[in-house]
Amino acid sequence: MDDSYFMAMALTLAENGQGFTSPNPVVGAVVVKDGRVVGRGFHEKAGLPHAEVNAIDDAGEEAFGATLYVTLEPCNHTGRTPPCTEKILASGIRRVVVAMEDPNPDVTGGGVKRLLEAGIPVTTGVLKEKALKQNERFIKFVLTKRPFVTLKCAATLDGQIATKTGDSKWVTGEKARRRVHELRHLNDAILVGVKTIIQDDPQLTTRREGSKGKDPVRIILDSRLSIPETAKVLRLDSESDTVIFSGVVSEIDLGLFEKKERLEKAGVKVIETPLLHGRIDVNRMVEILGSLRITSLLVEGGGQVIASFLKAGVVDKVTLFLAPKLLGGNDGVPVCKGEGPEKMAQAISLSDITVQRLGDDVMIEGYLGKKGMEDVHGNH
């Protein structure tokens, strides 16, 4: 059994923290002695002990003389928890194996350097690509201070997300819909346009089978504050916040001004931004979300919202669910609504494609732009 075997185990452990650790990364660790795993740990939640600490505590006295496998470089700074490097040194660990260095430009290499200076051999880069993908949302945020944006949609084979009446229940089957709830759990925030609220009245919460899910912050693009005040998303039946991005509301427009005040009194956060061509400025909105420490955003909007995000160039990843259905006409709601390019050569290309079958549906995932993925996948 080589280093990759035990690092794969640590990466699997790290998955247990997905959705719970933001704005921190997910991290897993195992302590191995004489070929036996004697300690396991993962980072459970921001503010709680890191994976290395949990694994070393799990190993107890057997940590002395053992090897520590950890998916992210141990921290060497004091934040909400003490430095993990000091815990490692105090435990008697004799060797450390790291999948990826910390991408945060303020701390990169600090943990490895501290261990090497103390005489602890360190091996880096074991299953690095898998570790980078596992923490792609965290990496994008620490490098750019903007959230990692995933664009999700479910469509028929003829490229439509709803019928001509707006009916979209349900494009895909149960397995695909369960996967969507996993995506909601993974992301800090979920976004739709106000037309989706008016048409479908969704809750935008997370429902996971067999385990508790984390509700994302619910974000609505609503330039004229036309959201019905009876909308489910405005009810405080979730621990998650609801945020509405609107245009600037003038006191002259007394009706809108009073509606904004009622919404805020009910606990909804209304963020006013100058409109761009009559619509919410997507780039500006993404910057604001970053300043609110939202590290990842799942866009579940309709055709206009999807098109506006693609045109703004802020999408990092696309998750498309294709159902084996045909509407058989061209009067439904297309995946993207609005004007497209004149030439096929101008089409937006995806890279690093994965395809998965979910019941009768197919999930296709890919990344936008080579440059963006170079940043996220380690060339920083």
Side-chain angles (χ1 to χ4, degrees):
M1 290 183 287
D2 62 4
D3 287 344
S4 296
Y5 175 85
F6 294 112
M7 188 59 75
M9 196 178 294
L11 286 164
T12 300
L13 277 168
E15 284 296 310
N16 293 312
Q18 289 283 21
F20 298 111
T21 63
S22 181
N24 291 354
V26 294
V27 187
V30 294
V31 179
V32 178
K33 192 170 188 178
D34 301 325
R36 295 180 301 114
V37 176
V38 296
R40 296 174 174 84
F42 66 95
H43 184 38
E44 297 175 18
K45 189 177 180 181
L48 294 183
H50 290 182
E52 304 94 312
V53 173
N54 289 331
I56 290 169
D57 285 346
D58 189 41
E61 292 182 358
E62 290 206 75
F64 189 86
T67 298
L68 172 70
Y69 292 83
V70 61
T71 58
L72 179 71
E73 174 184 6
C75 65
N76 190 46
H77 59 278
T78 301
R80 293 166 72 176
T81 58
C84 290
T85 49
E86 299 311 310
K87 178 77 173 184
I88 293 168
L89 295 174
S91 71
I93 290 282
R94 74 173 185 194
R95 176 177 175 244
V96 175
V97 182
V98 175
M100 60 174 279
E101 293 183 353
D102 194 321
N104 189 331
D106 297 328
V107 300
T108 298
V112 170
K113 183 181 178 185
R114 173 75 179 97
L115 295 173
L116 290 173
E117 288 174 347
I120 305 291
V122 180
T123 302
T124 61
V126 176
L127 299 188
K128 179 180 177 180
E129 286 302 313
K130 290 185 178 180
L132 289 166
K133 187 175 177 71
Q134 188 177 66
N135 269 312
E136 60 191 6
R137 292 175 292 277
F138 167 76
I139 294 168
K140 166 73 182 296
F141 182 73
V142 296
L143 290 177
T144 67
K145 307 305 180 192
R146 290 161 70 101
F148 183 93
V149 178
T150 301
L151 186 64
K152 168 263 161 185
C153 68
T156 61
L157 290 180
D158 47 0
Q160 298 177 83
I161 61 176
T163 67
K164 61 184 177 182
T165 64
D167 180 43
S168 60
K169 287 187 170 55
W170 294 101
V171 176
T172 54
E174 186 62 35
K175 285 188 177 180
R177 297 202 297 273
R178 284 204 297 267
R179 179 60 62 89
V180 170
H181 282 280
E182 289 298 319
L183 289 174
R184 290 182 179 184
H185 170 71
L186 291 178
N187 285 272
D188 287 355
I190 181 173
L191 180 145
V192 298
V194 71
K195 287 183 180 178
T196 296
I197 301 295
I198 293 169
Q199 181 72 38
D200 299 335
D201 196 19
Q203 291 177 294
L204 301 181
T205 52
T206 299
R207 295 177 294 282
R208 300 173 81 203
E209 284 193 4
S211 60
K212 179 174 167 51
K214 172 187 65 65
D215 288 343
V217 175
R218 298 171 289 187
I219 297 170
I220 299 115
L221 301 185
D222 186 5
S223 59
R224 288 286 298 165
L225 279 187
S226 56
I227 188 168
E229 292 180 63
T230 56
K232 291 175 183 174
V233 77
L234 299 181
R235 296 178 195 161
L236 298 179
D237 56 358
S238 168
E239 296 176 3
S240 166
D241 292 333
T242 297
V243 180
I244 297 175
F245 278 85
S246 78
V248 176
V249 178
S250 169
E251 291 187 36
I252 297 172
D253 192 335
L254 190 58
L256 272 190
F257 188 77
E258 289 178 344
K259 184 175 183 179
K260 173 177 175 274
E261 287 189 323
R262 288 196 303 272
L263 290 169
E264 291 179 328
K265 192 173 181 180
V268 176
K269 186 170 187 175
V270 179
I271 298 177
E272 301 176 55
T273 62
L275 299 180
L276 183 66
H277 307 303
R279 300 177 64 84
I280 301 296
D281 184 340
V282 171
N283 258 296
R284 177 67 187 130
M285 185 214 65
V286 168
E287 284 180 5
I288 293 170
L289 293 182
S291 71
L292 296 175
R293 293 186 67 74
I294 288 175
T295 69
S296 54
L297 174 67
L298 180 65
V299 177
E300 280 197 19
Q304 283 186 333
V305 170
I306 289 171
S308 67
F309 269 77
L310 289 171
K311 283 186 172 69
V314 299
V315 177
D316 297 292
K317 186 177 186 177
V318 170
T319 301
L320 172 64
F321 296 89
L322 273 180
K325 297 176 181 178
L326 297 163
L327 289 187
N330 66 350
D331 57 353
V333 180
V335 171
C336 293
K337 206 167 183 179
E339 189 176 337
E342 294 183 2
K343 303 286 186 180
M344 189 57 69
Q346 297 170 292
I348 299 167
S349 296
L350 304 184
S351 59
D352 298 330
I353 306 298
T354 59
V355 180
Q356 185 180 352
R357 179 99 174 251
L358 295 168
D360 290 334
D361 305 312
V362 175
M363 182 181 78
I364 302 169
E365 287 192 311
Y367 296 88
L368 269 74
K370 293 180 179 179
K371 180 65 176 71
M373 281 306 97
E374 285 172 2
D375 287 343
V376 170
H377 285 180
N379 298 325
H380 49 264

